[in-house]
Amino acid sequence: MKVKNWLLAILPLILISLYPCLFQYSTNLPESRFQDAMIFFGIFLAIALATFLVLLAIFRRPGPAGFLGCLCMLILINFGIVKSGVQSVFPSFPGLVLLGLFAIPVLAIGLLLLKKKYRCLIPCVLLTVMFGVLCFSGTALAVPQLLSNDHRDSPRMEEGNPGGKDRDSRPEGQQGGKLPNVYFYLYDEYCGPESLQYYYDYDNSGFYEELESRGFACSMSSYNMESCATTQLVPNLYNLSYAQPPFNSGDGESPRIYQLFHDMGYQVNLISHNDFLDTDGARPLTENQVEDSICIILYQNSLLPNTPLSGLIEELPQLQAAYQYTALVEEVLEAMDTAWKHTKNAPTLTLGYIQMPHTWFIYDKDGNPVPEEDHLNWGDPQFYLGQLEYTNKRILGAVDNILEHDPDAIIILMSDHGARLGYHLAELYDAPYDYETDTIHQQNILNCIRVKDHALDIEGLNGVNTLRLMMSEVFGLDFPQYPDPEPKLNPYP
């Protein structure tokens, strides 16, 4: 009987600590991360057990300690929500007064339990049943999304395809061969060779030699002169033209490159840092590109920000912006490494975009973390160059993974623009900035393409014309070259 009493006292504390974590995890899928939910479950459970032990020392009975501990935990976990609701109606209502209003009935119940010696087993059972059902429903909400994610990553089971083995059902190209998979990866703010020499006196030729040894044609003099803004340049690239409108996911209009490849029988996969790319007509492979962790939600919903524990808990990496940003970048890098896994049963265009070596500068040249105070440090060249060198390593790693598993693939590596160093120095440090001279160096880009057994001459072509050349020479479509656009300067402010 004593064991049963202890279980009935402790079990509702566990379930009350677990429920908000499961609820936030399941309702925020696919953006939420399970490990974040478990971190705050551990925090809430530790507080619940500590509260239980203190109350046990007072009551000397597990039932009252467990029941009153549950009431305390319900206040602690939900105080932030109630406070926000009350202050939305009464903006000047003090949080301490609200806390006192909660504390008075809890103290009254505690004094009653001390005097009357109630066992409190029935309230503990009711709380166990209530939060057990809520935890089960939270888990049930998550299951369909988790199964959907698993299905996305699994080989398709088809009639006549016993055992689910992959079958190459890609249609044939114009010359009778199978249409190749295409990987088009964009690296934001990656300097072209001339720009690196101009700004940093840096020789990146070793990287280009590595790419050429893998069959790439690399342009040393490509410039996207129509803009220095990602929101203009990437839509231009994806529409194979200039002066295109920004992306608007959900409007039903997909970029022209999606349409062209769909017409040829391709599926379109997206690897999209910060959900930047247009999702209309495409299948995202990255779905966690939201910088707010559910840890932040759980923390802000609770009483913890108003307690002495706040300083300690706010040191958690999961509550730091840098942790969240790094998690998004890591997910995109991993997706680029493994994109070949998602090219079964149909020819596939995989479009990848990542803000590297663009700020934040979170990696040194070996992939080690950079101090947070230097994440926007454009004044010291080591931070841009370090992240650029690490980006080189990750590009070569992604290329090698693709070629190992998909040797016939077409691979396009580009940047939208180079480092806008003069602009950033003026913006951050009030440095002198001659934009009429400086802008052209900001527009020198990474531009490399690998087509197996087909050497494309892309030297000096901008991004749009490089893609138009590929569509013409590789896929036999009519895409004549455009004249270079009128150069657009990048003044500050």
Side-chain angles (χ1 to χ4, degrees), residues 381-421:
Q382 69 169 308
F383 297 108
Y384 177 83
L385 292 177
Q387 186 143 290
L388 177 112
E389 290 183 21
Y390 183 63
T391 303
N392 287 350
K393 294 176 183 178
R394 295 306 298 254
I395 291 174
L396 294 174
V399 166
D400 288 342
N401 280 325
I402 293 169
L403 294 180
E404 179 182 355
H405 298 93
D406 196 357
D408 295 330
I410 296 172
I411 307 174
I412 307 159
L413 306 172
M414 279 191 194
S415 59
D416 48 351
H417 53 77
R420 296 165 294 188
L421 182 61

Side-chain angles (χ1 to χ4, degrees), residues 120-137:
C120 295
L121 296 181
I122 291 177
C124 287
V125 169
L126 292 175
L127 287 169
T128 298
V129 172
M130 180 188 304
F131 281 91
V133 170
L134 290 171
C135 288
F136 177 80
S137 64

